Amino acid sequence: MSTLEIIGGIAILIISLITIILCLSQEQKSQDSMTAALTGASADSFYGKNEGRTKEAILAKITRTLSILLFIAVLAVNIVPIFTK
């Protein structure tokens, strides 16, 4: 194993642990869209308009970014040894 593979493995481990923690800290999405349709509830509220600034939205954006970084790190760890031979 080369030094780059070890560093990449550690980076993958750290990114995956942080992603798991962030996923577990997010709230579940409710499945009450049918209830809203039957009762005539409106999604146009203050919370709906400022949805991108809430804690849940920020956690979702960070989780998405970390997932992309994890994907790139896994590809890099598997591709780099091919070119270093």
Side-chain angles (χ1 to χ4, degrees):
M1 274 193 139
S2 69
T3 307
L4 289 175
E5 289 176 340
I6 294 171
I7 293 171
I10 292 170
I12 289 172
L13 181 66
I14 292 170
I15 292 171
S16 61
L17 286 175
I18 294 171
T19 304
I20 290 169
I21 291 169
L22 285 176
C23 286
L24 290 175
S25 66
Q26 293 178 13
E27 294 181 17
Q28 276 186 317
K29 293 185 179 184
S30 61
Q31 297 291 329
D32 48 62
S33 59
M34 187 58 130
T35 306
L38 293 174
T39 60
S42 176
D44 190 25
S45 63
F46 178 75
Y47 180 75
K49 290 179 181 178
N50 294 315
E51 192 173 296
R53 297 183 205 150
T54 62
K55 177 185 159 194
E56 291 84 18
I58 293 170
L59 286 175
K61 289 177 186 176
I62 293 171
T63 304
R64 186 180 316 120
T65 304
L66 284 175
S67 300
I68 293 169
L69 284 175
L70 180 66
F71 181 74
I72 292 170
V74 169
L75 284 178
V77 166
N78 288 311
I79 291 175
V80 166
I82 296 172
F83 294 112
T84 58
K85 289 183 179 180

